[in-house]
Amino acid sequence: MIEIENVSKRYNGLPAVKNVSMTIRAHEFVTIVGMSGSGKTTLLRMINRLVEVDEGTIKIDGVDNRDVSGPQLRRSIGYAIQQHGLFPHRSVAENIGTVPGLLGWTVEKTGERVDELLSLFQLDPAIYRDRYPHELSGGQQQRVGVARALAARPNILLMDEPFGALDPVIRNKAREDLQKIQQQLGTTIVMVTHDMEEALALGHRIAIMDGGELVQFAEPADVLRNPASEFVESLVGKGEKPFRLLAFASVEDLIEPGEASGSPISGQLSLRDALAEFVAQGKTSLPVKDENARIVGQITLDSLVRNGSGTP
Ligand code: ADP
Ligand code: MG
């Protein structure tokens, strides 16, 4: 758990972060989103004390983060950034083994961990262990950067626009991988992004920054339904909002009795994917099946559109 309490930071007399309070739960995936210069990076870097707070406190699992030394703190918290920061003259294995090395792990234990992480990130250890960063694609470098941040099994991972440099297709894949890994390991993740789409897709909750202030901290569907201000409303996009909301409800929420024709869709499907099915099949109603492929009713395009627009 990370408790940020009334934290402020000024640079040259100008506020960068203004009196921010928020609590990030253990195992939570929180995204911090906002325009450039809104204080996201400063807030993130105050958690691992790459930046010191001017006012306020940050507690990690109940302990003030100033009660331990900065380097010691940073060895226990993973940190991954956009320019992945890999050491160019060290192999992939040496890069990933950096923090375990600092912590005094044996060569054998570190080697096992390196291979485990490479496998987790779908990089064959036999092939990639001894490569150098320049021998990897941008997406692979990024994965090694995140693997390095996770090497010593930190409970907390801080990420600053980790996928910013990746092209859109690889970025989607990287997001999915990260989501899976987070579910698997239960790591608490705080990720900064300027991309609302990414924030909504990944965050259990989203923190929205504007001019150094935290203007909303809520679940994605909540942010879409009840934006805290005009600014948040503009950020989530008035026009795209109904469409985005569809991702947070599933077909089974809208099942009704009836026998539609067409190829059945799963009750687990998000309404966003269901909309794609309506379009692909050219239908206005579709049969819905359960896990055993049994038809359990139907969904209509009408009800989906009503749900998306927020009218019951
Ligand atoms: P974001 O990550 O949201 O783009 P930052 O946290 O990097 O925003 O910056 C917030 C504000 O603080 C900006 O106005 C920026 O210019 C300023 N700032 C950030 N770091 C420094 C620094 N080391 N020295 C002076 N000003 C800084
Ligand atoms: Mg930044």
Side-chain angles (χ1 to χ4, degrees):
M1 185 169 65
I2 307 169
E3 293 162 279
I4 299 174
E5 293 165 5
N6 305 110
V7 160
S8 297
K9 181 73 189 177
R10 290 171 157 268
Y11 287 113
N12 314 317
L14 294 172
V17 169
K18 296 185 208 168
N19 198 30
V20 167
S21 297
M22 61 192 283
T23 297
I24 296 153
R25 304 175 194 123
H27 314 300
E28 194 171 24
F29 195 148
V30 166
T31 48
I32 301 177
V33 66
M35 315 279 263
S36 175
S38 58
K40 306 181 296 295
T41 294
T42 303
L43 181 60
L44 190 77
R45 287 160 71 95
M46 287 192 286
I47 296 174
N48 68 0
R49 280 180 54 205
L50 285 170
V51 171
E52 299 286 353
V53 302
D54 287 342
E55 281 161 52
T57 54
I58 298 180
K59 289 185 197 151
I60 293 174
D61 295 329
V63 179
D64 191 318
N65 71 350
R66 286 166 297 199
D67 287 356
V68 290
S69 74
Q72 193 185 341
L73 182 73
R74 289 188 283 279
R75 261 176 260 142
S76 68
I77 298 177
Y79 183 54
I81 54 176
Q82 174 170 333
Q83 309 81 347
H84 59 76
L86 296 178
F87 305 121
H89 303 299
R90 308 189 77 192
S91 69
V92 164
E94 288 167 337
N95 265 286
I96 297 177
T98 304
V99 175
L102 289 172
L103 293 173
W105 290 21
T106 62
V107 172
E108 192 186 18
K109 187 177 166 197
T110 302
E112 279 168 17
R113 180 64 176 155
V114 166
D115 288 1
E116 183 187 8
L117 281 162
L118 285 174
S119 304
L120 189 64
F121 283 88
Q122 292 161 24
L123 295 165
D124 183 346
I127 297 174
Y128 291 100
R129 200 191 285 128
D130 298 320
R131 287 212 180 164
Y132 285 84
H134 74 270
E135 298 172 305
L136 306 175
S137 71
Q140 290 169 338
Q141 290 178 359
Q142 190 54 50
R143 273 181 277 165
V144 172
V146 179
R148 185 177 65 175
L150 290 171
R153 297 196 177 80
N155 293 324
I156 297 172
L157 174 60
L158 308 178
M159 307 180 92
D160 198 347
E161 314 225 9
F163 308 134
L166 303 181
D167 72 64
V169 176
I170 297 174
R171 186 154 59 212
N172 277 337
K173 171 86 172 60
R175 284 181 197 167
E176 280 170 26
D177 287 350
L178 181 65
Q179 239 168 346
K180 271 195 218 125
I181 285 163
Q182 200 265 344
Q183 281 160 9
Q184 222 168 317
L185 306 180
T187 314
T188 306
I189 298 184
V190 187
M191 187 180 110
V192 163
T193 174
H194 63 264
D195 179 346
M196 186 46 105
E197 196 75 49
E198 184 159 276
L200 289 168
L202 288 176
H204 298 147
R205 285 191 293 168
I206 306 179
I208 299 166
M209 301 281 296
D210 183 20
E213 285 176 282
L214 177 65
V215 291
Q216 189 163 17
F217 185 35
E219 289 175 17
D222 228 26
V223 172
L224 289 166
R225 287 205 187 89
N226 309 304
S229 66
E230 283 279 313
F231 169 75
V232 177
E233 176 107 43
S234 72
L235 217 55
V236 297
K238 282 193 176 106
E240 296 154 76
K241 191 170 130 180
F243 187 62
R244 284 179 162 159
L245 266 173
L246 292 177
F248 299 102
S250 55
V251 167
E252 59 192 357
D253 301 333
L254 295 180
I255 292 182
E256 46 190 283
E259 288 178 37
S261 67
S263 170
I265 59 175
S266 158
Q268 315 295 315
L269 215 58
S270 78
L271 292 182
R272 194 165 175 164
D273 292 337
L275 179 58
E277 275 298 307
F278 279 114
V279 174
Q281 296 195 37
K283 302 273 188 190
T284 54
S285 62
L286 285 171
V288 178
K289 61 182 177 185
D290 65 12
E291 306 89 81
N292 305 315
R294 230 165 26 102
I295 303 300
V296 288
Q298 64 169 1
I299 178 170
T300 65
L301 182 57
D302 245 16
S303 68
L304 185 149
V305 170
R306 275 202 310 277
N307 180 278
S309 62
T311 28

